[in-house]
Amino acid sequence: VPKESDIPLRTGIFLPGTTRLHELDELYGIVLDGDAQENLEQFMLRNLDRPMEEGSFVETRGFRLYVHSLDEATGPVIGIEEALAQ
């Protein structure tokens, strides 16, 4: 089944930190290293070299994942966009 999205990643998307890696793959065709049941918040915590805060980011597989916002009640919102080529 082809994976398609109407959302252009150059402009970015925002997802709740509870989004699982397998959902990211199924909905957007983005495959990240980690257990399929791991969520974006867990992925960010595992890959950051400091505590998670707004603006913290990880670049992997051609994408930049960043903490767009943090809310104690609802958890983080993670932005995903294409990483700019250096």
Side-chain angles (χ1 to χ4, degrees), residues 49-61:
D49 57 0
R50 58 191 171 116
M52 191 167 24
E53 58 187 37
E54 289 183 10
S56 298
F57 70 92
V58 172
E59 288 190 355
T60 183
R61 296 184 170 232

Side-chain angles (χ1 to χ4, degrees), residues 70-86:
L70 285 171
D71 185 297
E72 289 185 30
T74 60
V77 173
I78 306 298
I80 303 174
E81 61 189 17
E82 290 181 18
L84 299 176
Q86 296 292 331

Side-chain angles (χ1 to χ4, degrees), residues 7 9 11-21 24 28 30 32 38-46 48 52-60 63-71 74-81:
I7 300 170
L9 286 174
T11 58
I13 56 174
F14 300 107
L15 297 169
T18 55
T19 303
R20 304 238 177 247
L21 297 188
L24 196 59
Y28 302 100
I30 298 173
L32 300 176
E38 183 176 42
N39 65 36
L40 287 173
E41 181 177 10
Q42 293 164 330
F43 177 86
M44 294 296 287
L45 288 169
R46 182 170 54 83
L48 287 170
M52 191 167 24
E53 58 187 37
E54 289 183 10
S56 298
F57 70 92
V58 172
E59 288 190 355
T60 183
F63 295 98
R64 174 179 283 204
L65 289 81
Y66 62 94
V67 180
H68 176 263
S69 60
L70 285 171
D71 185 297
T74 60
V77 173
I78 306 298
I80 303 174
E81 61 189 17

